[in-house]
Amino acid sequence: MHRRTFLQAGLAPAFSPSGDRILTVRGAIRPDELGVCLPHEHLFSNFGLEPADPPVYDAPRLLREVLRYVNSVKYLGVGAIVDCTTQYFGRAPELLRRISEGTGVHVLTNTGYYGAASGRYVPGHVHEESAGRIAARWVQEFHGGVGATGIRPGFIKLGVDAGLLKDVDEKLIRAAAIAHRQTGLVIAVHTGDNAEAARRQMAILREEGVAGEAWIWVHANNCGDGGALREAARAGAWLSFDGIAPETLERHLALVQMMKSERRLGQVLLSHDGNSFRANGTRPLKPYTALFTHFLPLLEKSGFTRREVQRLTVENPARAFTVRARVTGI
Ligand SMILES: [Zn+2]
């Protein structure tokens, strides 16, 4: 069956409350409007370059190249892309909106600060301000949009380095918990193979009365500790297996199979961490198509049903990114 037909022939997704919304750069949509979603990509970024906000891009070239690329991904069946480029390394909501308008693909942008990369993309005020004050900045973007664009973020994006969480990271995680309670935006944290940081983050969320369902373990595919992944899943976390590429298929298949045997397929997110315009076009594009060209055929061959593929590619991202406060009631 043609890939697109396979995806679209899935059962009607089971979505709940009718008031639920997902915030895209073109405004709020219903979760069942999202379609097949790539929950961790970069349409463009200046990662590796000097921190800057607003970023400096060759906008005509960026638009030309990214529009062409996103259209080609759309042809494979994509309905939505979650853009994980944060403020200070290239977030540009108006460019995202132009790409979304030009392609019809839904795009989500984010609020939050990226604490990995030794904190080079964390602004100075973080060191002076309380978690509550930092959270207020993000909540302000949630209500009023980014700058004067009127474009609202659809999730909170953070990042932590290897090793124990630094004080500044703990503060940013706490700020995200506070902001989550006030906005219902899901918190996606670049955590990778740092299982200890994952545990600590979830503990901070619990202290702040935020449930595991509000937290995405980004780059969980890099974690070799299956026990830690299962533990996080049992605590409600989303596991983002977002390194899909032709050379990592078996690794990702094993992870998805592990989650299936744990009956936790409903908490898995699949993506590439691709990038269609890197470092202002000076580095080669990192594709985000292998899910369609390689991985879904492999899932099918490995006995995954159409219903399960529908959950992984459509329903899970829709639930993860639905604006909804997930609190523990304490
Ligand atoms: Zn990324």
Side-chain angles (χ1 to χ4, degrees):
M1 193 185 284
H2 187 275
R3 179 88 1 246
R4 191 161 184 176
T5 322
F6 178 77
L7 284 165
Q8 290 176 346
L11 302 174
F15 291 114
S16 48
S18 55
D20 280 351
R21 288 292 182 268
I22 291 171
L23 295 179
T24 80
V25 294
R26 284 185 289 148
I29 61 169
R30 294 192 317 271
D32 64 356
E33 293 177 288
L34 196 66
V36 173
C37 175
L38 295 176
H40 188 110
E41 311 294 348
H42 302 264
L43 272 70
F44 46 80
S45 82
N46 274 341
F47 194 75
L49 304 186
E50 283 303 305
D53 184 62
V56 180
Y57 285 120
D58 178 349
R61 182 178 160 208
L62 182 157
L63 286 169
R64 202 166 52 241
E65 294 188 12
V66 179
L67 278 165
R68 190 190 321 121
Y69 190 74
V70 172
N71 267 322
S72 73
V73 181
K74 178 187 177 184
Y75 180 74
L76 295 171
V78 162
I81 302 173
V82 176
D83 185 78
C84 291
T85 297
T86 56
Q87 193 180 9
Y88 302 104
F89 74 81
R91 183 184 65 160
E94 278 177 317
L95 290 175
L96 292 176
R97 181 164 59 190
R98 286 179 66 179
I99 293 159
S100 181
E101 285 169 352
T103 59
V105 171
H106 295 300
V107 175
L108 278 68
T109 188
N110 63 83
T111 190
Y113 302 141
Y114 184 84
S118 307
R120 75 181 288 203
Y121 297 110
V122 171
H125 63 247
V126 165
H127 301 282
E128 327 296 328
E129 295 178 356
S130 67
R133 176 69 196 107
I134 295 163
R137 292 174 178 270
W138 302 340
V139 172
Q140 159 75 28
E141 287 199 337
F142 169 77
H143 288 298
V146 175
T149 65
I151 298 170
R152 300 170 69 193
F155 66 111
I156 298 166
K157 172 77 194 297
L158 306 176
V160 300
D161 269 327
L164 292 176
L165 281 195
K166 295 190 269 297
D167 288 350
V168 63
D169 294 321
E170 298 224 356
K171 184 153 71 170
L172 289 172
I173 301 297
R174 207 170 290 284
I178 295 166
H180 172 79
R181 289 183 65 105
Q182 294 177 24
T183 63
L185 293 181
V186 72
I187 305 161
V189 187
H190 167 115
T191 301
D193 66 355
N194 196 343
E196 203 40 57
R199 284 191 193 98
R200 181 68 193 128
Q201 289 180 62
M202 294 193 79
I204 293 170
L205 294 186
R206 271 195 303 278
E207 285 168 23
E208 296 294 331
V210 171
E213 289 81 352
W215 182 74
I216 301 174
W217 184 337
V218 171
H219 310 326
N221 47 291
N222 290 334
C223 178
D225 182 348
L229 294 173
R230 288 192 292 272
E231 178 190 325
R234 287 186 201 118
W238 293 95
L239 298 187
S240 183
F241 301 142
D242 49 35
I244 293 176
E247 58 278 13
T248 63
L249 300 174
E250 292 302 327
R251 166 73 182 150
H252 284 75
L253 177 63
L255 288 164
V256 176
Q257 283 171 327
M258 177 180 83
M259 295 302 284
K260 183 177 176 176
S261 65
E262 287 282 304
R263 299 182 170 278
R264 297 279 175 188
L265 219 47
Q267 291 164 243
V268 172
L269 300 171
L270 298 175
S271 217
H272 309 82
D273 197 17
N275 194 325
S276 32
F277 196 77
R278 297 164 83 193
N280 199 24
T282 60
R283 298 178 66 196
L285 167 155
K286 190 164 175 253
Y288 37 99
T289 50
L291 176 75
F292 305 96
T293 56
H294 293 70
F295 195 64
L296 294 185
L298 179 62
L299 283 183
E300 266 181 81
K301 217 167 56 190
S302 310
F304 282 79
T305 65
R306 189 177 301 173
R307 181 78 188 85
E308 287 168 334
V309 169
Q310 174 87 7
R311 281 182 89 184
L312 289 165
T313 58
V314 178
E315 294 175 27
N316 289 353
R319 277 192 297 117
F321 290 91
T322 290
V323 177
R324 185 171 57 83
R326 291 148 238 194
V327 298
T328 57
I330 61 163

